[in-house]
Amino acid sequence: MSWKSMFRQRITLDILSGGHVLTDKMIPVPIRHASLVKGDKPGEVITELPFADKKRWTLVNIEWSQSGKRSAGKAAGGAIAGTLVAGPLAGIAGAAVGGRRKDISKAYVYLVGEDGVEHALHIHCDQKQYVMISAMLG
């Protein structure tokens, strides 16, 4: 194993659908996690799964949909707790902390296999992951 291959960029994917194409093995449960590793050639990526062979792909595109949600219940709970403990100003701070935005962004990652067939992975993908995957495009 070369030094270069030991320090390749690796991105952990949280897969929503499409993970079955990442291996030729018959796995009885849906594949929910995999790693995406930058290959040697422009646009080349390698997928790694536990207990499965690595597969080489060409990364052709990524489509990202930014989304987030706030929990009104947690904001209200934080406001009540803050007010009870330290007064009205703490209630405002408690509402801000309790109602933080949760990133629920998703993306489609388009991969072309060695057989020339394009496949799509639907994944959870925050902005940092999107930038890292986009940098792997050829």
Side-chain angles (χ1 to χ4, degrees):
M1 179 183 290
S2 71
W3 286 100
K4 186 177 181 181
S5 64
M6 289 175 59
F7 295 106
R8 289 187 185 171
Q9 183 179 18
R10 180 179 314 277
I11 302 167
T12 301
L13 303 178
D14 184 13
I15 301 170
L16 298 169
S17 66
H20 64 281
V21 302
L22 300 179
T23 183
D24 295 328
K25 291 187 176 185
M26 295 300 293
I27 298 178
V29 295
I31 295 172
R32 297 290 177 218
H33 301 283
S35 293
L36 192 66
V37 181
K38 184 169 178 50
D40 294 327
K41 301 173 192 168
E44 181 184 58
V45 293
I46 302 162
T47 53
E48 298 177 345
L49 300 163
F51 310 109
D53 295 332
K54 297 176 183 179
K55 285 183 87 174
R56 293 188 181 278
W57 304 87
T58 301
L59 176 63
V60 293
N61 196 13
I62 180 169
E63 294 176 359
W64 184 53
S65 175
Q66 186 177 16
S67 184
K69 68 177 183 177
R70 294 185 191 270
S71 171
K74 287 184 181 178
I80 292 167
T83 303
L84 291 175
V85 172
L89 289 177
I92 294 169
V97 171
R100 274 185 258 164
R101 185 178 173 152
K102 180 179 178 185
D103 189 351
I104 56 170
S105 301
K106 296 176 179 81
Y108 284 97
V109 176
Y110 296 96
L111 305 169
V112 174
E114 292 176 345
D115 58 0
V117 177
E118 183 175 286
H119 301 279
L121 291 178
H122 193 202
I123 64 170
H124 283 287
C125 184
D126 61 19
Q127 185 175 8
K128 181 180 176 183
Q129 283 179 311
Y130 170 71
V131 170
M132 291 172 66
I133 295 170
S134 294
M136 293 181 174
L137 284 167

